[in-house]
Amino acid sequence: MTPFTIDIPQSDLDDLRERLTRTRWTPQLPGDGWDRGVPADWLRDTAEYWRTGYDWRAREARLNEFPQFIEEIDGLGLHYLHVRSPEPDALPLILAHGWPNSFVEFARTIPLLAQTFHVVVPSVPGFGFSAAPRTTGFGIGAVVAMYGRLMERLGYDRYGTQGGDLGAYVAPELARLHPDRVVGVHIDGGFGFPTEDDVPGMTADERAEWDLMQQWMSGGVDHHALLRVAPQTFGHGWHDSPVALLAWHAQKFQEFSMSDQPLFDVIDRDLFLDNVSLYWFTKTAATSSWPMYEGLAGAADRPRFEWPKGQKAVPSGVYAGGSALMRRLAERDNTITHWPEGNPGRHHFVAMEEPAAHVADIRAFYAGLR
């Protein structure tokens, strides 16, 4: 296990500022607000702050306060944070980040979680400082196998899992693969989302709820379809232009907000730029697209987006549960022991927005499983 320190070359910082300075700005299209995508004025202002106000070196130093390592597993270098609790008998907890995110997603929750847990935060292969998959066919199962081996090498034979977004696929699969080791699965949300296969068995009220869900799901850019078809094509632009990368992340973070408030009233601006900067400096905008072009689709004869699969091997809990319909469907495929109502949160990446509430909920779930 090789200790790792983030140390972006100064030449890369200078190159970023030069590229931002030379941006060829697109004119604003007709429309109001974000109706046509990221507004030109918003993007210009944010890029200028990234160029002249944002301090990567200070943010880099804060991230380096977390002990980091590189471990070779299955031929790939896996980057991870390992923050031990002062309590020697603390339960280990592995955190699985989402897309388009990174270990930065948990930067505000790790210090709080480490008071109760031994915290392990891997960077998904192809994200951040983890090596990218070298072949096609790399999926969630490969990530889960690597994470299981990592926990074994760290000496943890009993641990919990937590994740949201992409992490909501990884966390339950770890329990499925290692039911003798994983004591519980906690996700941000996603248990019990209905599919077309569930529609025939719905009541009239549930069908109305399904129709509303379809309206919500159809909004925004379908990144699953876009990256399933042409990740290389779009990756060229994100790899070459920091403003293109910034706009793409802004588009998705805005769509992932469940609030009408400005994005930076919900997600801290510097924290958002930490994540964008990490993608830029590690050149992973394209390599992180594998979950969409082959990892989260169904079988070959059903190439469509699918929700995480349930498991009943260990208890499951969720930060934001959902309706009675979702609870019914969640209990069909999971052993739900934690389904709170009223937890605060206006964004898909709740750990970035509500770190204290997120940590409190994780603690509450695992308190009954020790």
Side-chain angles (χ1 to χ4, degrees):
M1 297 181 184
T2 305
F4 179 82
T5 300
I6 305 171
D7 186 15
I8 301 302
Q10 184 60 43
S11 58
D12 286 2
L13 272 70
D14 295 340
D15 175 70
L16 171 60
R17 293 192 180 99
E18 180 184 354
R19 288 171 184 263
L20 290 171
T21 300
R22 293 188 294 105
T23 299
R24 185 184 182 202
W25 293 101
T26 185
Q28 178 63 50
L29 299 177
D32 297 325
W34 293 67
D35 288 349
R36 297 293 182 270
V38 182
D41 287 346
W42 185 97
L43 189 63
R44 196 185 281 266
D45 289 345
T46 305
E48 181 62 15
Y49 176 74
W50 194 15
R51 186 179 73 89
T52 62
Y54 173 79
D55 187 348
W56 167 257
R57 287 302 184 204
R59 307 298 291 186
E60 181 182 69
R62 292 182 63 177
L63 294 175
N64 278 328
E65 292 175 2
F66 301 127
Q68 300 173 57
F69 305 86
I70 298 286
E71 174 77 357
E72 184 171 327
I73 301 177
D74 296 340
L76 295 177
L78 186 70
H79 167 261
Y80 66 97
L81 282 59
H82 187 198
V83 185
R84 294 182 182 272
S85 170
E87 301 296 330
D89 296 328
L91 178 71
L93 179 67
I94 185 168
L95 304 177
H97 68 75
W99 176 98
N101 222 316
S102 63
F103 70 89
V104 166
E105 180 178 345
F106 304 111
R108 300 176 70 185
T109 59
I110 292 171
L112 302 175
L113 286 169
Q115 298 171 18
T116 310
F117 303 93
H118 298 311
V119 181
V120 179
V121 189
S123 293
V124 174
F127 292 67
F129 298 104
S130 283
R134 299 190 181 96
T135 63
T136 59
F138 188 92
I140 296 298
V143 176
V144 169
M146 293 177 72
Y147 284 13
R149 292 189 184 99
L150 174 63
M151 296 301 278
E152 182 177 1
R153 293 184 188 183
L154 292 175
Y156 294 143
D157 56 7
R158 182 176 178 273
Y159 55 89
T161 69
Q162 201 286 324
D165 191 80
L166 177 60
Y169 292 80
V170 174
E173 284 299 312
L174 264 170
R176 193 192 306 275
L177 182 64
H178 297 294
D180 56 331
R181 296 187 176 189
V182 175
V183 302
V185 173
H186 182 281
I187 69 171
D188 295 347
F191 285 140
F193 270 103
T195 69
E196 293 177 0
D197 296 335
D198 299 311
V199 173
M202 291 181 183
T203 66
D205 288 344
E206 290 175 343
R207 180 58 188 264
E209 181 179 340
W210 161 260
D211 291 340
L212 287 174
M213 285 184 179
Q214 295 314 292
Q215 294 178 27
W216 174 74
M217 289 286 291
S218 63
V221 177
D222 186 348
H223 54 275
H224 290 276
L226 185 152
L227 294 176
R228 185 166 58 244
V229 174
Q232 187 74 68
T233 300
F234 296 101
H236 292 308
W238 299 325
H239 186 88
D240 184 64
S241 168
V243 166
L245 180 66
L246 177 64
W248 176 234
H249 277 244
Q251 176 73 34
K252 297 315 301 181
F253 269 70
Q254 178 70 24
E255 290 176 358
F256 286 170
S257 180
M258 293 164 280
S259 169
D260 293 332
Q261 296 183 13
L263 176 60
F264 293 149
D265 286 355
V266 181
I267 298 294
D268 179 78
R269 180 172 60 174
D270 278 2
L271 189 61
F272 170 80
L273 287 174
D274 289 347
N275 191 58
V276 179
S277 298
L278 191 67
Y279 272 77
W280 176 259
F281 291 133
T282 59
K283 304 176 177 68
T284 49
T287 62
S288 61
S289 66
W290 68 259
M292 270 59 72
Y293 67 78
E294 60 189 344
L296 304 185
D301 60 339
R302 297 175 67 198
R304 66 181 188 183
F305 167 78
E306 293 189 349
W307 294 106
K309 294 180 175 63
Q311 59 79 37
K312 291 193 172 184
V314 305
S316 295
V318 60
Y319 179 85
S323 67
L325 168 63
M326 294 178 65
R327 179 70 184 261
R328 174 173 71 81
L329 296 178
E331 290 182 334
R332 178 186 61 187
D333 301 318
N334 303 273
T335 304
I336 302 294
T337 62
H338 185 75
W339 191 273
E341 297 181 3
N343 273 337
R346 301 165 294 171
H347 201 275
H348 183 61
F349 294 124
V350 67
M352 300 178 79
E353 181 203 356
E354 297 283 355
H358 195 238
V359 169
D361 195 74
I362 295 170
R363 287 175 177 164
F365 169 66
Y366 280 106
L369 301 180
R370 293 179 181 276

